Amino acid sequence: MLEIQNLHVKLAEEDKVILHGLDLKIGAGEVHAIMGPNGSGKSTLSYVLSGRDGYEVTAGSAKLQGAELLDMEPEERAAAGLFLAFQYPVEIPGVGNMTFLRTALNAQKKARGEDEVSAGEFLKLVRAKAKTLKIDAEMLKRPVNVGFSGGEKKRNEILQMAMLEPRMCILDETDSGLDVDAMKLVADGVNALRSAGRSFLVITHYQRLLDHIKPDVVHIMSAGRIIKTGGPELALDVENNGYADLVAEAE
Amino acid sequence: MALALAKTEALNARIARHSLQKGGWLGAARAGALARLGAMGMPVKRDEYWRYTDPSSLTVANAPIAALFDAGDEPPAYGAIDRLKITFVDGVFDPAASDDLTLSGVTIERLALAGKADIHWARDLFGLLEERGQTPVERPLATMSTAFATDGVLIRATGKVTKPISLIYEHKSETSDAILHHCIKVEQGADVTILENGPAAARLTMVMEVEVAEGGSFHHIRTQGRDHERRAATHIFARLASDALFKSFTVTANGRLTRNDVVVELIGHDAAAHIAGACVGDGDFHHDDTIFITHAGERCESRQVFKKVLKNGAVGVFQGKILVRQGAQKTDGYQISQALLLDDDSQFLAKPELEIYADDVKCSHGSTSGAIDDGALFYLRSRGVPLKEAQSLMVLAFLAEAIEEIHDEAIAEDVRERLRNWLVRHEK
Ligand SMILES: Nc1ncnc2c1ncn2[C@@H]1O[C@H](COP(=O)(O)OP(=O)(O)OP(=O)(O)O)[C@@H](O)[C@H]1O
Ligand SMILES: [Mg+2]
């Protein structure tokens, strides 16, 4: 599904290098988790994959089902099936959540040459999905993320993911800021989307989330590289012992 | 002295081709206005009130040529709204393109015809609010309209008017120089909506005087635009009695020069005045909103919401003042003016002012200018919304607070659609 090879990334405006030759391969239907110390470059990886400005790729490639993501505009990546649930979802005053979702959904459909969904169909769909995520109708009417609590913003990310039905979902610390019940809700939302044709990359600091979203593979990232890859037991190891030994071992 | 002479000479040149019509109640009003105008002369760039906008193209003898603009297949404004249409072509009434001027709850007359009578209700309004609006600063172009307007409408609403009255201004001559003057009287408890749209002429000078009696409501939505080269100086003078409501919204797209003056006096208690504007300018575009609100009654509310989107060197100006007179306690005044600059060449000049002589008031004002939020733009794109569409969404979001001032959702949607089309045409 997603294949990243030897990815080197620096900040566009400074000489600071953040990713130092990162390799990652996620098969169709798989769930991978990335854990790693603060500042190791996890969010940077997710931003570079989705095409945010401010970063310069100096070497490497990132392919989604064989197509080079790094050559595409952000909207083309989305239409190709990439989705990033932001660590810090953005507030957009003046743009209603519904308008936003419908515009996004129809733009992707249009880009893929599919029929747009009608207003009625859309409404039915969004209401049903919002209900399972316990997002009330009032929230859907408000401007995107404006005045949402931290947890509401994260649930709104998952709602977008459920509506857009991407193939490759990246979740950047979607669990941070969620209470226990909300985390369960979000995990259920993710699990409901798990399928043979859809893959997940879950960035998290806590084993807790991985109790709910069971990963196939766990990677440890440090200083812009994947330093260790293993099964779910690796996350438990980190939870109990921290990163120090793993980082020392890698060096 | 040299300045006064220059103003007088400019005035003589400016009015040389316009004749003063005599006779009737209107003739007397015009003569009075001409005398006042003679003492003022034309505005010049050195006038403080024209500091940010060069009035010379508005005061030069002949209207600068303005090419007609082909709007293509864009539907005309308010197409889906049931309304009574009154059309002026280059300032001249067009009966063929106008409806019968009868509508329940209101009398509608043309100034050119009604002015010939000896007595008329409009005699107590025509030119009077304009004259009151000459302090603290002179607005000679308004006085010129009182003296030389060739036509206009006199509207007297006595009840709830069943549909909007739509003034349509067409521009068919590249050199037309139109002067119009409207008077609108909203009687006690009456309710009327006035729509305006169209470029009107190569150059338009216009006044609308609005008197709203106790408990009356006046709604006004104006679509100024289309022809890129047209110029306009418009003025609204309004006076509100107790419990009166005045709402005026203007959307401006295109036009080389637009100066919209709005002067509102809240005389009675518990009255409300909302004035809002959304403007989008690309390139050779200069747009000036100059607002003056006087709170004289108690517990009145005023709201000014002005938003400008500017690109390719377009210039936006906002001069807004709230004056709270002694005794106007519990005044609630709000003023916001904001510009979204789509590039570094565009410019927004704002001069917000508060002058308060009462001690128990709530007044706020703010002015900002900035670019589109990159973070929000990326967020939209990451969800699949193409760049241009994402920018348009952000622009409309920026304008939303102003558009929300339109009371009627169908009309608001018409305005939004117009703006969306404009954004598509001006993507570069
Ligand atoms: N736009 C930027 N400008 C300056 N520094 C940046 C920028 N983006 C990332 N960095 C730096 O790059 C490094 C990696 O940041 P990143 O946000 O990717 O880390 P992270 O692994 O997601 O951390 P966390 O676990 O705290 O979310 C950090 O040192 C960060 O300060
Ligand atoms: Mg991060």
Side-chain angles (χ1 to χ4, degrees):
Chain A
M1 177 68 69
L2 181 69
E3 187 166 6
I4 303 170
Q5 280 182 328
N6 190 34
L7 189 61
H8 289 258
V9 171
K10 67 178 273 292
L11 291 177
E13 309 266 285
E14 295 168 42
D15 279 336
K16 184 169 175 172
V17 179
I18 301 176
L19 301 183
H20 300 263
L22 184 137
D23 293 290
L24 186 66
K25 195 170 167 178
I26 303 175
E30 292 177 0
V31 175
H32 288 220
I34 292 191
M35 303 179 83
N38 293 129
S40 55
K42 304 179 298 296
S43 292
T44 301
L45 172 64
S46 70
Y47 286 144
V48 169
L49 290 175
S50 44
R52 182 158 135 166
D53 280 347
Y55 304 100
E56 189 183 319
V57 176
T58 51
S61 76
K63 292 191 170 133
L64 181 66
Q65 294 189 306
E68 180 57 76
L69 285 174
L70 302 177
D71 294 339
M72 299 182 203
E73 295 296 332
E75 54 269 32
E76 293 170 337
R77 301 178 197 208
L82 184 75
F83 181 91
L84 168 64
F86 283 56
Q87 180 172 2
Y88 304 108
V90 180
E91 299 185 2
I92 317 183
V95 178
N97 220 1
M98 286 288 223
T99 310
F100 165 64
L101 265 174
R102 194 166 155 226
T103 308
L105 182 61
N106 281 334
Q108 289 201 16
K109 287 193 174 282
K110 195 170 156 198
R112 292 194 291 258
E114 299 165 11
D115 286 343
E116 297 190 355
V117 291
S118 70
E121 267 175 88
F122 171 80
L123 212 59
K124 248 170 57 192
L125 208 62
V126 78
R127 284 205 180 124
K129 303 214 176 199
K131 201 166 164 206
T132 59
L133 285 163
K134 295 217 166 74
I135 292 176
D136 61 67
E138 204 40 51
M139 238 171 87
L140 290 175
K141 284 190 205 141
R142 299 219 307 254
V144 180
N145 293 327
V146 176
F148 287 26
S149 75
E152 286 169 344
K153 284 182 184 170
K154 296 301 177 80
R155 268 183 282 155
N156 199 28
E157 293 290 287
I158 301 304
L159 173 65
Q160 292 168 35
M161 188 168 88
M163 289 298 296
L164 297 172
E165 301 188 316
R167 291 192 183 115
M168 179 69 232
C169 311
I170 305 172
L171 279 65
D172 190 358
E173 292 196 30
T174 302
D175 52 333
S176 65
L178 290 183
D179 64 40
V180 186
D181 296 333
M183 173 142 79
K184 178 85 176 35
L185 218 63
V186 163
D188 289 347
V190 170
N191 288 329
L193 285 171
R194 285 180 79 157
S195 76
R198 182 173 292 129
S199 310
F200 291 84
L201 180 60
V202 181
I203 298 171
T204 183
H205 286 295
Y206 305 106
Q207 155 65 27
R208 217 173 38 176
L209 178 71
L210 303 179
D211 284 340
H212 298 293
I213 306 173
K214 298 237 159 28
D216 300 301
V217 183
V218 175
H219 307 274
I220 306 300
M221 184 162 173
S222 171
R225 271 190 212 94
I226 301 294
I227 57 165
K228 192 171 175 108
T229 295
E233 72 288 349
L234 193 52
L236 277 170
D237 184 19
V238 167
E239 181 91 351
N240 295 327
N241 306 317
Y243 294 111
D245 290 350
L246 290 169
V247 172
E249 194 183 310
E251 284 167 357
Chain B
M1 197 61 221
L3 185 62
L5 189 66
K7 282 170 167 273
T8 304
E9 279 176 358
L11 173 63
N12 291 337
R14 179 68 173 85
I15 62 178
R17 294 170 64 246
H18 299 273
S19 58
L20 193 75
Q21 290 166 32
K22 303 203 168 68
W25 65 271
L26 190 56
R30 290 181 187 284
L34 182 62
R36 287 189 288 119
L37 185 58
M40 288 187 259
M42 282 283 100
V44 294
K45 185 87 174 76
R46 275 159 66 192
D47 289 336
E48 178 62 21
Y49 224 48
W50 289 88
R51 193 161 152 197
Y52 303 116
T53 298
D54 182 355
S56 56
S57 65
L58 300 170
T59 58
V60 72
N62 294 323
I65 287 174
L68 308 182
F69 168 66
D70 180 5
D73 53 6
E74 194 198 356
Y78 317 127
I81 312 285
D82 181 27
R83 62 212 152 109
L84 183 137
K85 292 184 211 157
I86 304 173
T87 304
F88 294 91
V89 179
D90 294 302
V92 179
F93 178 68
D94 180 352
S98 301
D99 293 328
D100 183 23
L101 303 186
T102 49
L103 189 61
S104 110
V106 67
T107 59
I108 308 168
E109 293 165 275
R110 282 178 50 211
L111 177 69
L113 303 180
K116 296 193 171 93
D118 289 333
I119 45 170
H120 194 275
W121 64 263
R123 200 175 60 175
D124 297 330
L125 181 55
F126 185 90
L128 296 186
L129 295 189
E130 173 265 299
E131 187 174 359
R132 284 178 75 94
Q134 297 298 336
T135 43
V137 287
E138 293 176 346
R139 300 167 207 267
L141 290 170
T143 312
M144 187 181 83
S145 154
T146 302
F148 293 100
T150 51
D151 211 345
V153 289
L154 304 175
I155 295 174
R156 185 183 194 179
T158 48
K160 189 159 172 44
V161 183
T162 46
K163 57 183 173 185
I165 298 166
S166 176
L167 305 175
I168 300 164
Y169 306 120
E170 290 184 19
H171 172 206
K172 291 187 176 170
S173 148
E174 290 187 342
T175 56
S176 54
D177 193 10
I179 307 180
L180 293 170
H181 195 123
H182 309 302
C183 285
I184 295 152
K185 189 166 185 183
V186 184
E187 300 285 10
Q188 215 171 337
D191 186 336
V192 67
T193 298
I194 307 289
L195 305 176
E196 293 184 283
N197 74 281
R203 180 169 67 182
L204 170 70
T205 311
M206 188 162 74
V207 165
M208 181 184 280
E209 291 173 294
V210 183
E211 172 101 65
V212 190
E214 261 176 46
S217 299
F218 171 81
H219 296 277
H220 174 231
I221 298 98
R222 164 164 69 171
T223 304
Q224 279 178 321
R226 289 194 148 192
D227 296 22
H228 291 271
E229 296 178 1
R230 60 115 191 111
R231 293 160 208 272
T234 78
H235 311 77
I236 296 172
F237 297 96
R239 185 163 58 175
L240 277 63
S242 290
D243 298 304
L245 172 69
F246 171 95
K247 286 194 89 167
S248 174
F249 170 88
T250 301
V251 58
T252 310
N254 305 357
R256 184 159 288 174
L257 180 73
T258 308
R259 163 85 172 223
N260 293 330
D261 281 31
V262 180
V263 181
V264 179
E265 275 186 285
L266 297 133
I267 302 285
H269 303 310
D270 303 291
H274 291 206
I275 303 142
C279 101
V280 287
D282 183 0
D284 199 348
F285 175 93
H286 184 107
H287 187 276
D288 178 339
D289 283 301
T290 292
I291 316 295
F292 186 77
I293 300 198
T294 303
H295 281 263
E298 292 176 16
R299 297 176 304 277
C300 290
E301 181 214 3
S302 71
R303 232 179 117 77
Q304 301 170 53
V305 182
F306 286 88
K307 304 268 186 160
K308 299 179 198 288
V309 178
L310 305 167
K311 65 194 283 193
N312 291 323
V315 179
V317 174
F318 175 78
Q319 307 189 92
K321 181 165 178 174
I322 305 175
L323 168 64
V324 181
R325 288 203 192 282
Q326 209 173 349
Q329 301 298 12
K330 307 276 184 211
T331 285
D332 182 357
Y334 173 78
Q335 179 195 89
I336 182 98
S337 65
Q338 294 181 308
L340 186 64
L341 305 176
L342 299 184
D343 52 47
D344 295 337
D345 300 332
S346 302
Q347 208 185 353
F348 178 54
L349 305 159
K351 189 179 169 199
E353 283 179 283
L354 292 176
E355 200 176 316
I356 301 175
Y357 298 100
D359 50 20
D360 184 14
V361 302
K362 195 174 88 190
C363 277
S364 66
H365 66 131
S367 181
T368 63
S369 60
I372 286 189
D373 176 359
D374 281 338
L377 202 59
F378 172 66
Y379 191 66
L380 286 165
R381 296 179 75 191
S382 79
R383 298 304 182 243
V385 183
L387 177 63
K388 295 294 175 195
E389 206 176 331
Q391 280 170 338
S392 290
L393 262 181
M394 296 293 294
V395 167
L396 287 171
F398 169 77
L399 296 173
E401 188 188 359
I403 298 170
E404 275 160 20
E405 289 293 331
I406 301 174
H407 68 295
D408 181 295
E409 182 47 34
I411 297 173
E413 188 47 33
D414 186 278
V415 167
R416 275 187 219 107
E417 187 59 24
R418 209 147 293 287
L419 286 165
R420 272 184 221 113
N421 289 337
W422 186 92
L423 290 167
V424 170
R425 289 199 303 274
H426 291 260
E427 275 179 352
K428 274 275 166 305

